[in-house]
Amino acid sequence: MDNALYVGLSRQMTLRRELDIVANNIANADTTGFKAESLMLEAAPRAPARTFGGPQPIKFVLDSGVARDFTPGSLHKTDAPFDLGIEGMGFFKVTTADGERYTRDGHFRMDDIGRITTQGGQAVLDEGGGEVTVDPQKGPVTIATDGTISQGAERIGKVAVVRFDTLSVLEKAGDNLYRNTSNAQPQAAPDARVHQGMLESSNVNTVLEITRMMDVTRAYESMAKMMDSNADLSRRSIERMGKSQ
């Protein structure tokens, strides 16, 4: 296999990965708080398979990670008492069996013992790091824009909303949650506003993602044709060399 085929194959591998990411964006266009992703690429110089006076080194295309767009999505009204949407940059903090996790998905509920949890059962944390618990017998729950939780005149606690100076430290952890991959601790997000009875929509632009999918598909097909043409050229060259001997 010559260098052109190696380079073409490396590009096809990244296009396949990019197609998976675009398809995942489209599939999560209606997922609360979902953030659109895109593939990051890099050129990796490598020694050529063969050298016939060609350039050195040969540069292959490699997948260097996934970029995530944390631009806030629009808020839509649900009127559910435990649905919370964040206006501005910030994340809710929840606890799991693997430690603290962070999310923009405020589609919460109250469990059998009065804890406010995610739909997956992870407890929502307050500003002190404790679980947020309400008493169903004390009436409706009110959550202010600063996250303060009240039942009547009684203050129950305050939902933690935190921010990260560098969002690249966040890594997907499943269930629409993120884990902190650094030693840096999140800080309070005083500028963020919590809206009760509202949820944040995904920031996926479906039309844009469909267009990207078409572009990736065409690029993949174009690369396949180039590789086929190159292979056919090599085959014909070998055949002519054989006939001339």
Side-chain angles (χ1 to χ4, degrees), residues 3 15 26 58 64 72 78 103 131 156 199 212 227 240:
N3 293 314
L15 287 169
I26 295 173
I58 298 296
S64 64
T78 66
T103 184
E131 296 180 354
I156 304 299
L199 289 176
R212 284 180 57 199
M227 294 171 66
R240 290 175 182 174

Side-chain angles (χ1 to χ4, degrees), residues 34-120:
F34 180 82
K35 301 304 175 188
E37 300 174 343
S38 58
L39 185 67
M40 296 187 297
L41 302 175
E42 64 177 346
R46 294 289 187 271
R50 292 182 181 178
T51 302
F52 297 102
Q56 294 191 42
I58 298 296
K59 293 184 178 181
F60 297 94
V61 186
L62 295 182
D63 174 355
S64 64
V66 175
R68 191 165 291 111
D69 178 9
F70 280 103
T71 303
S74 60
L75 297 178
H76 64 274
K77 193 172 183 180
T78 66
D79 289 328
F82 297 109
D83 280 350
L84 303 179
I86 298 177
E87 178 187 357
M89 293 305 298
F91 298 85
F92 297 112
K93 188 163 60 171
V94 303
T95 183
T96 71
D98 298 318
E100 291 184 354
R101 297 291 184 261
Y102 307 90
T103 184
R104 295 277 299 189
D105 183 355
H107 186 33
F108 301 141
R109 63 183 179 88
M110 182 177 66
D111 67 9
D112 296 337
I113 59 175
R115 298 185 310 163
I116 298 179
T117 72
T118 66
Q119 294 299 309

Side-chain angles (χ1 to χ4, degrees), residues 101-159:
R101 297 291 184 261
Y102 307 90
T103 184
R104 295 277 299 189
D105 183 355
H107 186 33
F108 301 141
R109 63 183 179 88
M110 182 177 66
D111 67 9
D112 296 337
I113 59 175
R115 298 185 310 163
I116 298 179
T117 72
T118 66
Q119 294 299 309
Q122 296 90 358
V124 178
L125 300 181
D126 62 19
E127 58 182 351
E131 296 180 354
V132 178
T133 305
V134 299
D135 186 347
Q137 304 301 319
K138 292 185 178 181
V141 174
T142 302
I143 302 175
T145 56
D146 66 349
T148 299
I149 306 170
S150 303
Q151 285 186 285
E154 182 181 357
R155 183 184 186 278
I156 304 299
K158 187 176 181 180
V159 175

Side-chain angles (χ1 to χ4, degrees), residues 149-222:
I149 306 170
S150 303
Q151 285 186 285
E154 182 181 357
R155 183 184 186 278
I156 304 299
K158 187 176 181 180
V159 175
V161 179
V162 299
R163 63 177 178 82
F164 292 84
D165 292 332
T166 305
L167 293 175
S168 60
V169 303
L170 294 177
E171 178 182 81
K172 288 177 70 173
D175 292 332
N176 219 1
L177 303 176
Y178 300 97
R179 66 167 62 90
N180 180 10
T181 61
S182 73
N183 293 323
Q185 294 301 309
Q187 306 298 316
D191 295 333
R193 294 289 178 266
V194 177
H195 295 275
Q196 185 179 19
M198 302 188 78
L199 289 176
E200 180 185 5
S201 300
S202 164
N203 68 353
V204 173
N205 184 325
T206 306
V207 174
L208 178 61
E209 295 300 324
I210 292 175
T211 302
R212 284 180 57 199
M213 177 177 285
M214 295 170 63
D215 289 341
V216 171
T217 301
R218 282 195 291 263
Y220 190 94
E221 293 173 349
S222 177

